[in-house]
Amino acid sequence: MVTTTALEEELIAIAGSVPDPELPVLTLRELGVLRAVHLRGEDAVDVELTPTYTGCPAMEAMSADIERALHEHGIREVTVRTVLTPAWSTDDITPEGRRKLREFGIAPPRVRTRTEPVPLELGATRTLTDEPSAAEAVHCPHCGSADTELLSRFSSTACKALRRCLACREPFDHFKEL
């Protein structure tokens, strides 16, 4: 078990408070991509960051923003390392992050109760939600209805799908489960 010092916890809080460049309503800690901050001497740290998917274009901006935040806190040398194992999963989004996504108008990813991988299904780009249970349905962040349809598997970013609520007719993004 790795223990963290009080200073490392403080630096994790600072780095973790950096907003995600694509979803600025979430911090990097709430998104679950900030893995660790390790002290290396008195004023040098190593930061471990996991992308939401390999090749994520936001990694460069996240790294620069973390470096800036830690430099402003007096850390002279900041090294941000990309860590691919364990891979990021939507399970890493905190409950606070899920709440913020919903309030921002983005349906958060469904909470998985199983530990198996998320099944990949290829099919029509426009399908009605026919989930096995209401708990697994994608709920509209505007009115809460589970009666939604998929319009496009991709939205403003590769992490999101575009859906529409059949009750209130509003379109919305759904942060896909990974």
Side-chain angles (χ1 to χ4, degrees):
M1 182 174 155
V2 177
T3 59
T4 56
T5 67
L7 179 56
E8 285 172 328
E9 282 298 325
E10 181 182 348
L11 297 176
I12 287 170
I14 292 165
S17 69
V18 170
D20 177 74
E22 293 180 330
L23 290 167
V25 68
L26 294 182
T27 66
L28 298 182
R29 193 170 208 178
E30 292 163 343
L31 186 57
V33 297
L34 179 67
R35 298 297 191 186
V37 174
H38 303 287
L39 282 173
R40 195 172 25 86
E42 289 185 27
D43 62 351
V45 296
D46 291 326
V47 178
E48 294 179 0
L49 196 60
T50 299
T52 55
Y53 65 95
T54 303
C56 175
M59 285 297 288
E60 189 175 317
M62 285 185 225
S63 297
D65 291 345
I66 287 172
E67 287 179 29
R68 185 172 20 268
L70 292 173
H71 286 309
E72 288 172 2
H73 191 69
I75 302 299
R76 181 183 51 78
E77 185 180 334
V78 178
T79 303
V80 179
R81 268 188 334 115
T82 300
V83 178
L84 300 177
T85 304
W88 179 86
S89 161
T90 51
D91 295 339
D92 295 328
I93 299 174
T94 66
E96 176 71 3
R98 291 169 187 280
R99 181 191 63 76
K100 286 182 174 182
L101 283 171
R102 192 176 303 103
E103 288 177 358
F104 191 66
I106 298 173
R110 293 168 283 199
V111 178
R112 294 185 302 158
T113 56
R114 303 180 314 255
T115 57
E116 307 94 59
V118 174
L120 175 63
E121 298 174 14
L122 301 177
T125 59
R126 186 168 187 230
T127 57
L128 291 176
T129 303
D130 72 10
E131 305 294 340
S133 73
E136 293 181 10
V138 176
H139 292 267
C140 173
H142 305 292
C143 73
S145 173
D147 194 12
T148 65
E149 67 180 339
L150 179 67
L151 296 178
S152 175
R153 295 195 186 283
F154 297 98
S155 184
S156 57
T157 65
C159 303
K160 295 182 287 194
L162 181 61
R163 299 187 77 91
R164 177 174 48 209
C165 177
L166 297 174
C168 71
R169 307 300 294 169
E170 287 293 322
F172 63 92
D173 280 337
H174 169 229
F175 203 113
K176 297 184 282 191
E177 296 80 21
L178 292 176

